[in-house]
Amino acid sequence: MYAEIVFPIPLNKKFHYSVPSELTSRLQVGMRVLAQFGTRLQTGYCIGLVTHSPIAEEKVKPIEAVIDNEPMFDEKMLTLTRWMAEYYFCSWGQALEAVVPSGVRKQMTGQHELMVTLAMPREKIQAEIKSATKLPPQQARVLKFLLDSDISVPLRDSPDVHRGLPTLSYQEVLNRLKISPAPVDALRRKKLLKVFRRTLDYDPFLDTSIPHTSPFTPTPEQAHALEIIKQSLDRNEFKAVLLHGITGSGKTEVYLQAIEYLLSQGRQAIILVPEIALTPQTIFRFRSRFDSNQIAILHSYLSEGPRAQQWHKIRDGTAKIVIGARSAVFAPTTKLGLIVIDEEHEPSFKQENVPMYHARDIAQMRARQENAVLILGSATPSLESFYKASAGEYTRIELPYRIEQRPLPPVEIIDLTHEISPKNSHPVLSKKMELAISEELAQGNQIILFLNRRGFATLIICPRCGAIIRCPRCQVAFTYHKELNQVLCHYCNETHPPPTVCPECGHPQLKYRGTGTEKVEELIKRLFKEYQIARMDSDIMTTYRAYKKTLSALDTGKVNILIGTQMVAKGLDFPNVTLVGIISSDTALYLTGDFRSAERTFQLVTHVAGRTGRGPKGGRVLLQTFKPNHYSIRYGSTHDYLAFAREELKHRQELNYPPFSQLLRILVEGRDIEKVKTAITKISDRLTKQITRLPVELLGPAPAPLAKIKGKHRWHLLIKSKDIASLQALLYNETTADSLKQLTKEFVSSSRAIKISLDMEPVSLL
Ligand SMILES: [Zn+2]
Ligand SMILES: [Zn+2]
């Protein structure tokens, strides 16, 4: 017997190995094996068992070991991943690798987890940070992170650990700070930190008691949507529904009642939400309707162990409802009946590394396989989905009214080009905005202020020579973070002390320009001293608890003004928020090279505005902009999706961009710019020879808008095609495939000098 094995490497090929007689009874298709590959043992996936090998008997190597006791993948998952490999131009092995969480692959059963805690009381640690013995910056960051996190987990099996001291999972500390284990281990040796193993009993709802809610009586529109969904569930047929409901129209109630119906049929549901919308509020709504044992939650705050535990709970059928971000689309359900993608327009549903899949496409394939229903919910459907609905591929159902007939909040546009402050620069807050904030505060109402840049100043510039202080690895402007007193690169996380002189001309005074959340917070605190102000961005919301704490402070009225980035734009539902102030939303409109910038701006305005007017007090929105006449701002302010979509589709059609074409991006990255250019030119030349008879258009090669990241130069090539078939014909054509394979081999052999990635339907062209 021979096993067909694929490896998680960028080479789409299956390899044949012989199965030693002692393993024949154990090995099944869908299991993982250890096998000699090149010079070392590597984990591979068994995708087939055959009686003949195309390779000569004496050349076939045996499998060394079988890793799993039962198959990790069933027939359907194998089919799905094979389709993924073909569609997204990656290898089958890479697709399989993406489907299972790393904790499961490492065979963690979720029973133990490595934890980090402070080895002495807070005051002593603080003194240590301040003391003369200077800590290296990374070590200081780790300590500060722990001090700030304010988390202590129940430590029943670790009595020697100080109670009440911040304790976090080791993995989480590394993930959140994006660091290697070295600084943590150094601190452990200095006896400032303790690292220990704890027994795990993960329950995401451990510390919360949530009152049970009963289904609400659906509005006529909700009832209509439910009727269509239930009909398909009854018939056990595939159906894709685009649930186009404005903010506050009760989409979640439709999901909840559809799931309730589905559970009565004994089937399972997967609910995908964007990472940033995976708020405690969202989870509570599910928890208040269903038993917590029935729910599995997969979010990025979970470390490997608990994630593995949730995975097993889904696979053995205990969990009936899976809630998670993008990768939860691969949840190992055995009786799938429904997949919901909430906020389906969100770019975070696209994976940015190989396999570069879009959860929406995977969900559609899975739903088809399982005869399940797919619900795509959004107040601002992606133009791709809207177009598919117009073409009849999806059934579009509208929820055009807010529940209890509440109106959408009026949006007033403030033209910042007319606002000049005494210092002859544009102010962060317009007069109108400032006045509106004080009015609402005086009435005891709450306010959300939005801008999509974190940090204090977004640009440091030399007034003498005009030099901009940039990250040396990325050529991207550094952002000044005042709390850290560091400049930070938002692309590679490199930090430096703020420069004291211009690196170009030595001028001693640098100007700090641009506004981030820290600056707005400082300004608001100065203007509204007697009020409580909270900030929410990824700099401070480093743990799930911190996030929950801020939200509950908002809920109980302890916070009057919340300032934040995208994190505040999604999912929040507080009836006492009567004013949303959009400090700035234009950033995307200045990004050239992204054909979706108008769509992103429209979505942002709509969703941020949707955070208010959710209670009997109503609400209003003030929108500051330098581009008051741009159609994305105009239609955003009138909540007019259809008008926006019509205008945007017109532009897309003129330029032949999606949804009117299929886009593929080929990106080449490497430290040596000459190698990068040679490789992309080679690819481009080969492709040009092939495209003459195909309805395909080639753009580039050109430097990517972000031409250098983490020391790597980036060049790209865009291929626009009328249809997927022509694109596949082009890339799977023997000559092209050969040259790509050749280049990939060169890449592997030249110790990763360049990296070539193929991105099907890219969401980012930067
Ligand atoms: Zn200078
Ligand atoms: Zn950088």
Side-chain angles (χ1 to χ4, degrees):
M1 191 165 69
Y2 299 93
E4 297 176 311
I5 308 292
V6 294
F7 294 96
I9 52 164
L11 202 60
N12 203 9
K13 190 172 182 257
K14 58 184 177 194
F15 298 86
H16 289 80
Y17 287 84
S18 62
V19 185
S21 54
E22 68 272 22
L23 294 179
T24 43
S25 59
R26 270 193 62 202
L27 182 62
Q28 295 175 45
V29 172
M31 284 183 174
R32 294 171 307 157
V33 299
L34 270 180
Q36 186 85 28
F37 185 74
T39 53
R40 59 196 189 96
L41 279 183
Q42 188 157 348
T43 303
Y45 300 93
C46 176
I47 48 134
L49 290 168
V50 289
T51 47
H52 293 284
S53 157
I55 301 165
E57 185 88 34
E58 61 276 15
K59 283 192 177 165
V60 177
K61 279 177 266 178
I63 278 169
E64 300 290 333
V66 176
I67 297 174
D68 300 314
N69 290 322
E70 49 183 310
M72 187 148 273
F73 306 99
D74 60 11
E75 199 60 50
K76 283 175 183 162
M77 204 44 99
L78 288 171
T79 311
L80 183 77
T81 45
R82 198 174 54 198
W83 170 81
M84 266 173 81
E86 193 170 302
Y87 190 79
Y88 294 107
F89 302 106
C90 65
S91 77
W92 194 353
Q94 287 173 315
L96 285 165
E97 177 110 331
V99 163
V100 181
S102 56
V104 176
R105 273 187 269 125
K106 289 181 195 161
Q107 291 181 312
M108 287 181 167
T109 50
Q111 278 161 4
H112 294 285
E113 186 177 26
L114 217 50
M115 305 295 291
V116 182
T117 186
L118 298 179
M120 48 180 86
R122 287 165 178 278
E123 305 72 46
K124 283 196 179 168
I125 297 280
Q126 260 147 359
E128 193 70 32
I129 296 177
K130 280 184 194 141
S131 78
T133 50
K134 258 199 194 147
L135 282 173
Q138 294 292 33
Q139 293 180 25
R141 265 181 84 207
V142 172
L143 287 183
K144 201 169 174 311
F145 178 68
L146 273 158
L147 279 171
D148 289 347
S149 42
D150 196 26
I151 290 184
S152 49
V153 284
L155 299 171
R156 36 161 201 260
D157 49 321
S158 319
D160 57 324
V161 174
H162 275 283
R163 282 181 177 269
L165 280 181
T167 307
L168 285 171
S169 122
Y170 186 85
Q171 200 59 45
E172 183 174 340
V173 173
L174 301 192
N175 290 349
R176 290 284 141 194
L177 295 174
K178 300 191 173 74
I179 53 169
S180 75
V184 180
D185 292 341
L187 288 166
R188 185 181 51 80
R189 286 195 302 272
K190 289 179 187 168
K191 302 219 184 316
L192 293 171
L193 289 186
K194 222 175 245 179
V195 176
F196 63 98
R197 204 171 269 280
R198 74 159 168 147
T199 311
L200 210 77
D201 184 13
Y202 177 72
D203 176 357
F205 308 108
L206 198 64
D207 56 346
T208 38
S209 65
I210 296 157
H212 185 80
T213 61
S214 307
F216 300 112
T217 311
T219 64
E221 293 77 23
Q222 284 173 329
H224 171 67
L226 280 164
E227 196 183 317
I228 292 175
I229 294 161
K230 286 179 184 172
Q231 222 168 52
S232 290
L233 288 176
D234 284 342
R235 290 192 198 133
N236 210 6
E237 66 175 14
F238 165 72
K239 188 172 198 77
V241 171
L242 178 62
L243 188 62
H244 183 187
I246 61 169
T247 57
S249 61
K251 290 187 287 292
T252 310
E253 188 61 32
V254 174
Y255 308 154
L256 290 170
Q257 295 195 24
I259 293 166
E260 193 172 15
Y261 192 76
L262 179 87
L263 293 191
S264 71
Q265 297 180 328
R267 296 159 88 184
Q268 287 166 295
I270 298 175
I271 297 70
L272 301 182
V273 295
E275 189 63 54
I276 45 170
L278 203 45
T279 62
Q281 267 193 324
T282 311
I283 295 169
F284 279 21
R285 293 202 58 182
F286 285 88
R287 174 62 183 83
S288 73
R289 199 66 62 82
F290 304 104
D291 184 3
S292 77
N293 280 328
Q294 294 185 309
I295 306 176
I297 300 203
L298 299 166
H299 58 63
S300 72
Y301 286 95
L302 280 190
S303 48
E304 284 182 329
R307 188 174 272 269
Q309 202 183 30
Q310 298 286 298
W311 191 89
H312 288 290
K313 191 174 151 189
I314 299 162
R315 183 153 137 146
D316 68 24
T318 320
K320 310 279 185 232
I321 305 165
V322 183
I323 308 172
R326 180 179 60 228
S327 63
V329 74
F330 299 114
T333 50
T334 45
K335 277 180 172 173
L336 187 62
L338 176 70
I339 305 178
V340 174
I341 303 187
D342 191 30
E343 313 281 7
E344 66 88 29
H345 61 277
E346 273 290 313
S348 66
F349 287 121
K350 176 79 196 276
Q351 166 120 323
E352 289 294 326
N353 40 40
V354 177
M356 296 176 155
Y357 66 87
H358 198 299
R360 193 168 51 213
D361 297 325
I362 306 284
Q364 193 170 340
M365 280 306 281
R366 269 200 93 173
R368 227 180 251 286
Q369 266 185 335
E370 312 259 0
N371 293 320
V373 174
L374 170 65
I375 307 177
L376 303 170
S378 178
T380 54
S382 63
L383 287 176
E384 284 85 350
S385 296
F386 182 71
Y387 188 71
K388 278 186 182 169
S390 329
E393 194 177 335
Y394 299 158
T395 307
R396 179 163 161 266
I397 307 174
E398 261 195 286
L399 301 178
Y401 312 109
R402 279 190 157 184
I403 37 176
E404 293 174 18
Q405 303 298 319
R406 286 188 188 122
L408 279 166
V411 180
E412 187 181 342
I413 295 179
I414 300 171
D415 183 353
L416 281 183
T417 53
H418 295 316
E419 293 260 347
I420 306 277
S421 74
K423 278 189 269 170
N424 209 22
S425 63
H426 297 290
V428 174
L429 278 194
S430 58
K431 292 224 169 55
K432 233 180 209 160
M433 185 75 84
E434 197 181 323
L435 182 69
I437 294 172
S438 27
E439 280 170 7
E440 297 300 329
L441 287 174
Q443 293 171 60
N445 298 334
Q446 288 170 303
I447 296 153
I448 291 179
L449 297 178
F450 167 86
L451 79 164
N452 49 6
R453 291 201 257 183
R454 63 198 168 92
F456 190 84
T458 51
L459 202 64
I460 308 170
I461 191 164
C462 169
R464 190 202 277 165
C465 74
I468 290 169
I469 311 302
R470 294 175 194 275
C471 168
R473 302 171 70 203
C474 305
Q475 294 302 309
V476 170
F478 267 132
T479 300
Y480 174 60
H481 286 245
K482 199 171 183 179
E483 276 168 17
L484 288 169
N485 193 28
Q486 295 271 326
V487 295
L488 178 69
C489 171
H490 287 183
Y491 287 92
C492 72
N493 277 311
E494 179 150 320
T495 58
H496 284 289
T500 47
V501 298
C502 170
E504 299 293 327
C505 73
H507 188 68
Q509 255 155 0
L510 295 169
K511 287 249 182 288
Y512 287 68
R513 299 255 171 83
T515 303
T517 42
E518 282 186 20
K519 192 190 274 182
V520 173
E521 185 187 20
E522 193 181 276
L523 177 73
I524 295 289
K525 278 187 171 158
R526 203 166 60 226
L527 290 172
F528 305 101
K529 281 195 190 72
E530 58 275 44
Y531 293 95
Q532 290 306 310
I533 290 143
R535 202 178 91 220
M536 188 179 267
D537 57 33
S538 58
D539 288 327
I540 35 178
M541 296 297 130
T542 44
T543 64
Y544 201 56
R545 290 245 179 161
Y547 194 33
K548 265 166 88 173
K549 217 169 127 184
T550 306
L551 288 177
S552 97
L554 200 67
D555 197 28
T556 52
K558 280 183 200 136
V559 162
N560 306 100
I561 306 177
L562 177 71
I563 301 159
T565 54
Q566 276 85 337
M567 278 190 148
V568 306
K570 301 274 137 70
L572 304 190
D573 188 353
F574 297 104
N576 201 35
V577 171
T578 54
L579 172 68
V580 161
I582 302 178
I583 306 286
S584 108
S585 63
D586 303 352
T587 335
L589 292 179
Y590 297 104
L591 288 177
T592 48
D594 185 357
F595 68 91
R596 288 194 181 88
S597 61
E599 187 180 5
R600 296 257 185 278
T601 306
F602 176 81
Q603 289 164 353
L604 207 53
V605 170
T606 309
H607 288 277
V608 183
R611 295 312 108 213
T612 187
R614 289 177 163 256
K617 282 180 172 177
R620 59 173 165 155
V621 181
L622 293 184
L623 194 174
Q624 300 189 154
T625 176
F626 285 102
K627 298 206 166 200
N629 294 317
H630 193 280
Y631 64 98
S632 62
I633 301 276
R634 263 192 297 121
Y635 291 132
S637 71
T638 51
H639 311 286
D640 195 345
Y641 175 85
L642 291 180
F644 171 78
R646 259 196 303 274
E647 179 142 1
E648 180 65 11
L649 283 172
K650 215 168 59 196
H651 294 302
R652 298 274 181 95
Q653 188 158 28
E654 277 165 15
L655 297 167
N656 193 26
Y657 268 120
F660 299 96
S661 64
Q662 193 90 29
L663 211 58
L664 175 78
R665 182 199 201 195
I666 301 182
L667 178 70
V668 178
E669 299 166 281
R671 291 186 188 279
D672 183 342
I673 191 164
E674 290 311 318
K675 275 189 189 154
V676 170
K677 278 201 230 167
T678 313
I680 195 122
T681 313
K682 257 189 210 168
I683 299 173
S684 161
D685 289 350
R686 304 272 167 90
L687 291 177
T688 311
K689 277 183 206 144
Q690 305 301 323
I691 58 171
T692 42
R693 279 173 301 123
L694 293 166
V696 169
E697 186 189 342
L698 215 70
L699 305 174
L706 291 169
K708 192 180 164 198
I709 286 184
K710 295 183 193 177
K712 287 189 179 137
H713 297 275
R714 311 165 81 240
W715 279 61
H716 69 175
L717 186 70
L718 283 181
I719 308 172
K720 273 187 203 169
S721 170
K722 263 268 152 279
D723 49 58
I724 176 80
S726 313
L727 211 48
Q728 289 183 336
L730 174 64
L731 282 148
Y732 287 129
N733 154 312
E734 228 165 87
T735 325
T736 328
D738 271 356
S739 64
L740 278 171
K741 220 181 264 173
Q742 193 53 43
L743 281 162
T744 307
K745 261 192 202 147
E746 274 172 36
F747 149 63
V748 175
S749 63
S750 61
S751 66
R752 300 174 186 263
I754 56 162
K755 182 179 163 197
I756 305 167
S757 36
L758 277 66
D759 189 358
M760 184 68 174
E761 296 171 336
V763 297
S764 165
L765 297 178
L766 297 179

